[in-house]
Structures are given as structure tokens and as C-alpha cells.
């Protein structure tokens, strides 16, 4: 069936059938990870549009980690959206905006949803993330120009007329700002109405100081005289939304607004909030918050209170300035705060966000990314201070990490109870949950689906494979897993322009996956060497040919269509593979290892270097299927480049088989195959002559 006919067939089926599609491929389930950014491409040699590609993807996988950006497709494919329950963005987005708006209506202080340092803290930060610039450079959340009753986004530098007003939106209150302009503002106003009515502006005194200047502009720093509480406000004025396309504002983010005006025509070059954070000498300095310093309880430690504050180890003027910011490795361009899971009212609201968001997108649940990045020393290395007010523990310690993980587990259980999902997932990559001390059993028990990102690579080696029993432990408790086969470290990384290198890596990845396949519980995904996902087209840096949709290129669709049946036990008389659990051992037919229940894998040795001991220097692992056989030849050590070049190994089979090629064709019937170093192979059992 041509790709276009397949697309039209799928569209017709979607119109007729209200139920989920059956499993696409005969021997395993498959999945996509963070699809999106579809574009025109080539499928099966024919050009297809972005929308047709999207339809192709919806036909060639069973579940989605992310979203297909279509409610009906999401519902049919069991789409798990993307979530980070343990963080909020420094620059608020849709989620933070929704929470701020709902919190106001319920009388909840949104600041209760954040963790805060109780004392001034220094954290090691080897390389500040660019996402932190939003705070370090004091960037306004939005700037609005009001001219002749018309609202528009203000982009600096800007020339202002005497009747113009410049409205600065901030996602947090502040006390100082810097302005570079041709002169000082003559009018400054802010909102102090508790209901956040921006029609009730109040004059604001500002103490200005000259920082620097040149012939055409002077840089001033202004100290706001906050004699009355400065309240956040919804960006509406006289029935009109003060927004020109900013998604956070459109979602209801409450902001702190400052209105500035000049009596004379003025050129405004820059406008910034004076930061309270410091980054120097590979350290970040975050002030601590102590409510005892805020004597009048207005949420701001003014000059009088600051000079006589009770706790001189806490120098934050506002509570938000003490929020925990992970200083370990984070994704490029990001800046995060850590979430507080100890406030019951906020937890309920936070869970409701996921319920509403999933319903709107047609999601079955979501997968939580970076689950090992919580409060441990991989995110917080304390140089001084570090006590978390809500926990009364020092961040970066095992105690804080373990306790925070328990709190996250309770919150995720609350999300599951509210939403009824059975598709709550977590990205744990290679992490063995039974070996990872910071994770309590509660966190393992609350998750339904595990994303094993880049779990398999061509040169993975036998040592790692023999420690990967945890996949079968998860299966024994009926948890689902996505197992990703990556080409990282494979032949294609050494020969990126060679089609045969890419094809062999992908064939090997599928063979490796079939070693782990537990029908009904595991899903297969094939990817390149990077962590950049999506449905866009390949480049010469990530495929031997540019212009092919990545999921089309990497998924061995034709191979998956070949039915090799279901996994079986190892044949009688074969030597079973031994799994290693930190010194405790169990063979592949065992139902437990070190007291941990296992689903038997059926792995056995087809050949190996020596038959004494369970961990050979090299060998061929096999797993039998009812209609086929899968093999992988590896060295004990991973990523040994020279092992790619070893002499091929002739391996005898237990019957006649045909190799499944990348294009889905079957090779000649053989009872012996030749395997190169770090090579996997999928075989289809040949029909017996009397069948």
C-alpha cells in the first residue's frame, strides 16, 4: 500500500472508529518521543505534506511520549504529555500563568508553591545557563506602549512623545530598576489595589541616581519607595487585555506593573530590573527569606526593617527572591525553580492544572522528565548556607533528596487519583531504580510507564546487558516501558555518510530491543545519537541523507512488519545468560534476583569465550521467538572501537532461518550466520518443508 493510500485509509478509519487502533506491528508495540515540527518530506520515495507525515506517524506507533498536537489523534494513540512536576520556569509560561490566576480566585498565595532558602546561600555553578539571563539581566516580562489610546508592544530603543505611557510588566515585585534614556521619567505609578484593578494606579516616588552617561543618554538607577503593598494585577484595563500576543499574559498571568512617562520627547534605550542574584567565580548567590524580618507582614522588607532585621543571615527583600534555583546541569536555555509539595491547598491546585491540561489536549497522562534531578548534589552543591525553609533540611544532602522524592511521589499519587490516569510516566534513562538510593519505593510504585532514554546502543557491551535485569523486574510488576535504541557510539557515528553503517546500527538496535521485548508492556523507539527529538527532516549531521523525516528514517518500519511471533523460553540444553545485581546473580530463567521479582527473559548463550563463569569476554546472546530468533554479539566492555573490526564470527543456529533485512526482505534459508563485532540480527524461522 502506498504511503498516500495508507494516510487516506487511516483518516477513514479515524472517522469511523471511536476506539484506539490495535497494535501496529505484530511482535511489539512502538512509540514516538516528542514528535512535532512536521514539514514536507519524502516517505517511501514519494513527497508528502506535513499533515500527511503527521498522519503517517499516527499510523506507525501505538503510544506517544509527548503530543501529536491533535486531540483526536492523542486520544487514539495514548499520548503522554510532557511534564516537570518538580519545577516551574523562571520566566512564567502557560502553566505558571494558570496557577497564578486560579490561586487568586481561591485566596491562595502562589508563592506557597515554591521552595525557598531560609538563609543566604552560595551554590557552585560552573557554567551559568543562558536561561538565567532573564533574572540576571532583569528583563521585563513585557513592555507595552500606550499611545493615543492604542496599545502595542514596546520594543527598545523607542522614541516617546509627551502623552505616551510605557508600561513595564514584571513576573515578580521588585524595588530597584535601571533606565537608560535622554532624561528622567516625570511620572511613575503602580497598582496597590488588592483586587489588582489596573484602573487604580497610584503615584510612586522614586529616588533616582545617575550611574553613567554619555552625550545622548544617561543611565539612571531608581529606588522605588514602596510605602504601600505592591499588588499583582491581571493585565486588563477598561475591559481590554493589556497584551499583544504574550502567551503567559493571555493565560492569565498576574503581573506587577509599573507605568512610566516623560513630559518631554525622550529616547528610551533600555529598561531593566536590578537583579538580586549574583553570579561570580563559578558561584551563584541566592538571598534567604525569613518572615521575621518582615515586621509589618506586607511581603516586603523595607529599608527600616532591613537595617534592624532579626535574622541577618537572610537578606531577601521579597520572598520570591529566595526561591531555589537548581545550579547543576540543566537543559540549554532553561531556568527553573523547585516546587514545594508540602502545601496542601497549592498541591490540589497544581494537580488540577494537569487534569485540565490533559483534558484539553486529549492526553492519557504525561511523562515526567529528569526524575533523578530533584534536590540532590547533582543539582545543588552548597558552598555556604543551603537550608530550605519548608523542609528544614540542607539542599544537596541525601536526606533532603530522599525526603523530597517522597513528597513528589505523594503529589504524583494525588494527580493520579484526580485524573484517573494509568499512564503516568517517568524518564529515568539507564537508572536502576533498585540501586538508586535517593529514590524511595513510593516513587517507584506510583509510576506506570518508564522511559528508558538511549537505553540501548550498538556498542553497549555484555557487561551492561547483563546488568539490565531491571527491565524484567519492572515487567514483573506489570509496569510498561519505552526502550529506546540509539545509534550513539555505533558505526554511523564513525561513518556518518555511509548508508550501510546507519542501516546496520538500526538493525542492531531492533535486535537488541527484541531481547527486552515483553509484549503488551514494552514499546520500541529508534533514534539518532542526539537528545533532540521531533518530526522534522534529517540533516547530514544526523542521517546519511538530508530531507527525510527523522521518525521515517530511524524507525525500521519494514523490519517491524515481519512477524517473528512472541518470546519463548530458552531451548532445553542451552546455557542461560547470568544477570548481575551488584554481586548477586540469577540466570535468565529465574523469577527473582536478590529478592526482587523478575519476569524470565529467556536469554541464552549461542556462543561465548569459554564456558566457565557467567561473564565472558565476548559472546553472542540469543532469544528465541515463536517464529524467529534474535542475536547480539558483544564484547564485555562497551564502546571498544576496535571490536567493530574483529573478524566475523560464524554462529550455528538451531534450525533454518532467514535474516530480516532493513527493507523487510528475507535472506536465503541458512542454519549458520556470520556476525561482526557489536552486531545484532533479527531472524525469521524458515517454514519447514512439511508445513
Amino acid at each position: 500500500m502506498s504511503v498516500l493510500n495508507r494516510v487516506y485509509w487511516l483518516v477513514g478509519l479515524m472517522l469511523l472508529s471511536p476506539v484506539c487502533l490495535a497494535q501496529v506491528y505484530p511482535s511489539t508495540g512502538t512509540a514516538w518521543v516528542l514528535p512535532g515540527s512536521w514539514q514536507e518530506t519524502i516517505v517511501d520515495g514519494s513527497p508528502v505534506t506535513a499533515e500527511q507525515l503527521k498522519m503517517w506517524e499516527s499510523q506507525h506507533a501505538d503510544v506517544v511520549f509527548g503530543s501529536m498536537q491533535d486531540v483526536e489523534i492523542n486520544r487514539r494513540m495514548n499520548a503522554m504529555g510532557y511534564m516537570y512536576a518538580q519545577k516551574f520556569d523562571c520566566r512564567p509560561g502557560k502553566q505558571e500563568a494558570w496557577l497564578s490566576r486560579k490561586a487568586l480566585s481561591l485566596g491562595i498565595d502562589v508563592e506557597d508553591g515554591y521552595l525557598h532558602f531560609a538563609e543566604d546561600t552560595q551554590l557552585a555553578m560552573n557554567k551559568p545557563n543562558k536561561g538565567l539571563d532573564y533574572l540576571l539581566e532583569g528583563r521585563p516580562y513585557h513592555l507595552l506602549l500606550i499611545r493615543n489610546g492604542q496599545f502595542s508592544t514596546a520594543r527598545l530603543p523607542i522614541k516617546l512623545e509627551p502623552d505616551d505611557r510605557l508600561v513595564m510588566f514584571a513576573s515578580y515585585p521588585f524595588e530597584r530598576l535601571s533606565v537608560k534614556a535622554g532624561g528622567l521619567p516625570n511620572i511613575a505609578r503602580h497598582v496597590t489595589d488588592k483586587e489588582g484593578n489596573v484602573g487604580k494606579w497610584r503615584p510612586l516616588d522614586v529616588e533616582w541616581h545617575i550611574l553613567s552617561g554619555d552625550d545622548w543618554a544617561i543611565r539612571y538607577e531608581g529606588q522605588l519607595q514602596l510605602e504601600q503593598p505592591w499588588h499583582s494585577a491581571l493585565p486588563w484595563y477598561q475591559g481590554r487585555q493589556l497584551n499583544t500576543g504574550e502567551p503567559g499574559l493571555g493565560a492569565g498571568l498576574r503581573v506587577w506593573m509599573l507605568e512610566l512617562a516623560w513630559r518631554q520627547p525622550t529616547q528610551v534605550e533600555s529598561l531593566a530590573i536590578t537583579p538580586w542574584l549574583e553570579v561570580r567565580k563559578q558561584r551563584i548567590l541566592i538571598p534567604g527569606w525569613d518572615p521575621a524580618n518582615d515586621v509589618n507582614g506586607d511581603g516586603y522588607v523595607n529599608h527600616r526593617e532591613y537595617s534592624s532585621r532579626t535574622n541577618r543571615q537572610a537578606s531577601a527583600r521579597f520572598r520570591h527572591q529566595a526561591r531555589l534555583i537548581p545550579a547543576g546541569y540543566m537543559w540549554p536555555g532553561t531556568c527553573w525553580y523547585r516546587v514545594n509539595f508540602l502545601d496542601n491547598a497549592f498541591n490540589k491546585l497544581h494537580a488540577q492544572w494537569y487534569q485540565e491540561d490533559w483534558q484539553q489536549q486529549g492526553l492519557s497522562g504525561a511523562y515526567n522528565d529528569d526524575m533523578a534531578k530533584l534536590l540532590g548534589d547533582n543539582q545543588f552543591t552548597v558552598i555556604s548556607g543551603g537550608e530550605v525553609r519548608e523542609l528544614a533540611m540542607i539542599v544537596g544532602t541525601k536526606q533532603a533528596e530522599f525526603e523530597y522524592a517522597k513528597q513528589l511521589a505523594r503529589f504524583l499519587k494525588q494527580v493520579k487519583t484526580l485524573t484517573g490516569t494509568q499512564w503516568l510516566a517517568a524518564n529515568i534513562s539507564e537508572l536502576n531504580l533498585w540501586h538508586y538510593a535517593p529514590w524511595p519505593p513510593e516513587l517507584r510504585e506510583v509510576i506506570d510507564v518508564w522511559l528508558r532514554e538511549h537505553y540501548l546502543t550498538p556498542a553497549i557491551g555484555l557487561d551492561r546487558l547483563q546488568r539490565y535485569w531491571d527491565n524484567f523486574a519492572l515487567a514483573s510488576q506489570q509496569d510498561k516501558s519505552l526502550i529506546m535504541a540509539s545509534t550513539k557510539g555505533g558505526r554511523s557515528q564513525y561513518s556518518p555518510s555511509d548508508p550501510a553503517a546507519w542501516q546496520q546500527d538500526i538493525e542492531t538496535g531492533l535486535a537488541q530491543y527484541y531481547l527486552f521485548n515483553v509484549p503488551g508492556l514494552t514499546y520500541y523507539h529508534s533514534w539518532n545519537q542526539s537528545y533532540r527529538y521531533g518530526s522534522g527532516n534529517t540533516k547530514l549531521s544526523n542521517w546519511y541523507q538530508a530531507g527525510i523525516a527523522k521518525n521515517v528514517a530511524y524507525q525500521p518500519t519494514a523490519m517491524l512488519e515481519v512477524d517473528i511471533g512472541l518470546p519463548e523460553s530458552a531451548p532445553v540444553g542451552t546455557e542461560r545468560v547470568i544477570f548481575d545485581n551488584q554481586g548477586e546473580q540469577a540466570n535468565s530463567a529465574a523469577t527473582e534476583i536478590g529478592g526482587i521479582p523478575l519476569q524470565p527473559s529467556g536469554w541464552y548463550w549461542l556462543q561465548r569465550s569459554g564456558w566457565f563463569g557467567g561473564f565472558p569476554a565476548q559472546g553472542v546472546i540469543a532469544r528465541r521467538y515463536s517464529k524467529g530468533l534474535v542475536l547480539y554479539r558483544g564484547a564485555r566492555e562497551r564502546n571498544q572501537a576496535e571490536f567493530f573490526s574483529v573478524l566475523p564470527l560464524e554462529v550455528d543456529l538451531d534450525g533454518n532461518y532467514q535474516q530480516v533485512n532493513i527493507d523487510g526482505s528475507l535472506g536465503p534459508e541458512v542454519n549458520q550466520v556470520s556476525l561482526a563485532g557489536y552486531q545484532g540480527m533479527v531472524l525469521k524461522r524458515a517454514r519447514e518443508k512439511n508445513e
Side-chain angles (χ1 to χ4, degrees):
M1 186 183 295
S2 73
V3 65
L4 294 180
N5 287 336
R6 288 171 185 256
V7 170
Y8 299 146
W9 168 83
L10 176 65
V11 173
L13 182 61
M14 291 174 61
L15 293 174
L16 293 173
S17 174
V19 298
C20 292
L21 295 173
Q23 181 174 293
V24 174
Y25 299 107
S27 297
T28 185
T30 52
W32 302 129
V33 175
L34 295 180
S37 301
W38 298 274
Q39 58 190 112
E40 293 182 5
T41 189
I42 302 295
V43 178
D44 294 342
S46 302
V48 299
T49 66
E51 188 62 27
Q52 288 170 335
L53 172 62
K54 187 175 182 178
M55 289 293 104
W56 185 95
E57 287 187 350
S58 70
Q59 183 189 359
H60 286 79
D62 305 292
V63 299
V64 178
F65 288 75
S67 172
M68 296 298 292
Q69 300 173 29
D70 182 290
V71 173
E72 292 304 316
I73 295 177
N74 280 343
R75 287 173 178 163
R76 297 176 197 282
M77 294 188 68
N78 279 333
M80 288 158 278
Y82 189 70
M83 68 185 291
Y84 258 103
Q86 71 270 36
K87 66 92 175 172
F88 291 133
D89 289 331
C90 296
R91 189 182 191 281
K94 184 179 178 181
Q95 179 185 16
E96 293 82 8
W98 187 94
L99 289 169
S100 78
R101 176 169 55 87
K102 292 289 186 178
L104 174 70
S105 65
L106 296 172
I108 297 173
D109 184 353
V110 74
E111 199 60 38
D112 293 339
Y114 295 82
L115 291 179
H116 304 85
F117 283 118
E119 56 186 337
D120 295 349
T121 295
Q122 294 187 61
L123 302 173
M125 177 176 274
N126 292 332
K127 186 177 180 181
N129 199 316
K130 292 296 291 182
L132 193 59
D133 290 349
Y134 172 68
L135 301 178
L136 293 179
E137 296 178 2
R139 297 174 182 172
Y141 190 79
H142 191 61
L143 283 175
L144 192 72
L145 172 66
I146 303 179
R147 174 175 288 170
N148 299 324
Q150 300 298 314
F151 304 152
S152 62
T153 296
R155 292 180 173 83
L156 303 180
I158 190 172
K159 178 76 171 182
L160 297 179
E161 300 299 327
D163 292 332
D164 293 343
R165 286 173 289 166
L166 193 61
V167 181
M168 179 180 178
F169 295 69
S171 57
Y172 48 82
F174 57 92
E175 60 166 353
R176 288 184 296 162
L177 78 159
S178 64
V179 179
K180 186 176 182 181
L184 276 174
N186 301 104
I187 301 172
R189 303 193 301 177
H190 69 327
V191 178
T192 59
D193 180 60
K194 290 184 178 180
E195 301 302 319
N197 187 341
V198 298
K200 298 183 178 179
W201 294 93
R202 287 183 178 272
L204 176 65
D205 290 334
V206 183
E207 183 179 324
W208 295 101
H209 301 278
I210 296 177
L211 295 179
S212 61
D214 49 40
D215 293 339
W216 48 272
I218 299 174
R219 186 178 298 279
Y220 304 93
E221 181 174 76
Q223 175 70 52
L224 310 185
Q225 306 300 302
L226 299 172
E227 303 301 329
Q228 294 177 304
W230 186 4
H231 295 289
S232 61
L234 287 170
W236 288 80
Y237 180 54
Q238 294 181 349
R240 299 175 64 181
Q241 187 177 23
L242 298 178
N243 177 29
T244 56
E246 172 59 50
L249 297 179
L253 180 69
R254 296 180 61 80
V255 290
W256 284 259
M257 291 187 287
L258 182 67
E259 183 189 74
L260 300 173
W262 283 257
R263 291 197 180 96
Q264 302 295 327
T266 307
Q267 176 88 358
V268 178
E269 294 292 322
S270 65
L271 182 60
I273 299 163
T274 303
W276 63 92
L277 299 170
E278 291 185 57
V279 174
R280 63 171 186 263
K281 296 181 179 179
Q282 296 186 321
R283 301 180 180 189
I284 182 171
L285 286 69
I286 304 176
W289 170 260
D290 190 336
N293 291 342
D294 180 19
V295 178
N296 64 5
D298 66 352
Y300 170 56
V301 179
N302 60 35
H303 293 310
R304 183 178 62 258
E305 293 170 332
Y306 188 84
S307 61
S308 60
R309 64 191 188 278
T310 303
N311 182 0
R312 293 189 172 275
Q313 302 305 311
S315 58
R317 296 298 190 107
F318 297 97
R319 187 179 173 199
H320 75 87
Q321 294 176 343
R323 293 175 183 173
L324 268 65
I325 298 175
Y329 173 77
M330 309 211 312
W331 290 111
T334 60
C335 176
W336 298 335
Y337 295 121
R338 276 288 171 261
V339 175
N340 176 27
F341 296 116
L342 288 174
D343 188 275
N344 292 332
F346 188 85
N347 277 347
K348 183 178 179 181
L349 183 63
H350 192 184
Q352 288 171 353
W353 152 258
Y354 290 113
Q355 181 185 39
E356 182 170 314
D357 183 56
W358 296 353
Q359 288 176 347
Q360 288 179 351
Q361 295 190 59
L363 301 173
S364 301
Y367 86 89
N368 207 105
D369 208 357
D370 284 336
M371 287 286 279
K373 294 182 178 180
L374 300 175
L375 285 190
D377 58 8
N378 61 347
Q379 295 288 278
F380 297 91
T381 300
V382 177
I383 297 171
S384 64
E387 182 179 350
V388 182
R389 174 158 299 280
E390 290 79 6
L391 301 180
M393 297 178 184
I394 301 297
V395 74
T397 61
K398 289 181 171 58
Q399 180 190 18
E401 187 172 18
F402 189 81
E403 179 59 32
Y404 190 66
K406 286 170 59 176
Q407 294 168 13
L408 173 59
R410 287 194 291 269
F411 172 71
L412 292 176
K413 186 175 181 179
Q414 187 174 351
V415 172
K416 289 185 70 172
T417 300
L418 181 63
T419 63
T421 183
Q422 295 298 313
W423 292 87
L424 186 63
N427 181 1
I428 60 168
S429 192
E430 300 174 352
L431 184 68
N432 184 315
L433 302 180
W434 287 268
H435 290 172
Y436 190 57
W439 269 41
E442 296 95 321
L443 196 51
R444 185 173 68 239
E445 292 163 2
V446 76
I447 300 298
D448 308 301
V449 190
W450 303 94
L451 174 59
R452 314 310 300 270
E453 191 177 26
H454 291 241
Y455 193 62
L456 303 174
T457 59
I460 192 171
L462 302 178
D463 176 68
R464 186 156 293 211
L465 285 178
Q466 289 182 257
R467 290 187 282 114
Y468 272 11
W469 53 264
D470 60 320
N471 173 73
F472 300 103
L474 292 171
S476 73
Q477 61 188 38
Q478 296 301 297
D479 281 4
K480 307 176 190 70
S481 296
L482 176 138
I483 298 175
M484 180 184 291
S486 162
T487 59
K488 187 175 182 179
R491 289 171 170 82
S492 60
Q493 189 162 322
Y494 294 103
S495 303
S497 62
D498 182 5
W502 284 96
Q503 290 167 2
Q504 191 165 88
D505 281 348
I506 290 174
E507 289 177 358
T508 294
L510 180 58
Q512 290 175 332
Y513 168 79
Y514 275 140
L515 290 175
F516 291 90
N517 178 33
V518 180
L521 292 178
T522 61
Y523 299 91
Y524 164 73
H525 180 64
S526 178
W527 195 245
N528 61 39
Q529 295 129 25
S530 78
Y531 291 88
R532 296 181 179 274
Y533 306 114
S535 304
N537 289 343
T538 58
K539 301 176 182 178
L540 292 179
S541 59
N542 55 32
W543 189 240
Y544 65 86
Q545 180 182 0
I548 307 298
K550 288 197 280 280
N551 283 328
V552 173
Y554 305 141
Q555 188 188 79
T557 303
M559 289 185 74
L560 288 164
E561 289 174 344
V562 177
D563 186 2
I564 64 169
L566 302 176
E568 294 186 334
S569 301
V572 176
T574 56
E575 186 76 16
R576 291 180 171 86
V577 172
I578 299 297
F579 286 124
D580 177 32
N581 176 25
Q582 295 184 336
E584 297 175 308
Q585 297 176 9
N587 70 44
S588 59
T591 56
E592 64 91 20
I593 185 169
I596 300 168
L598 287 182
Q599 178 162 321
S601 70
W603 291 12
Y604 62 99
W605 293 109
L606 207 57
Q607 275 198 24
R608 56 180 243 180
S609 57
W611 293 99
F612 300 99
F615 306 97
Q618 64 171 293
V620 178
I621 293 178
R623 191 187 195 196
R624 195 171 188 178
Y625 277 69
S626 59
K627 300 179 183 180
L629 182 70
V630 294
L631 312 174
Y632 174 70
R633 181 191 178 192
R636 179 139 184 80
E637 300 299 326
R638 63 186 292 200
N639 296 333
Q640 301 296 303
E642 62 273 13
F643 194 64
F644 285 118
S645 303
V646 296
L647 292 175
L649 181 66
E650 299 298 323
V651 181
D652 292 329
L653 307 177
D654 61 358
N656 290 337
Y657 291 87
Q658 296 174 277
Q659 182 177 351
V660 181
N661 299 313
I662 193 73
D663 62 0
S665 65
L666 300 178
E669 290 189 24
V670 295
N671 57 17
Q672 186 183 74
V673 295
S674 178
L675 286 172
Y678 292 136
Q679 182 184 358
M681 187 176 292
V682 179
L683 300 166
K684 171 80 171 174
R685 183 171 292 123
R687 292 170 59 92
E688 299 295 340
K689 293 182 179 178
N690 60 353
E691 287 186 9

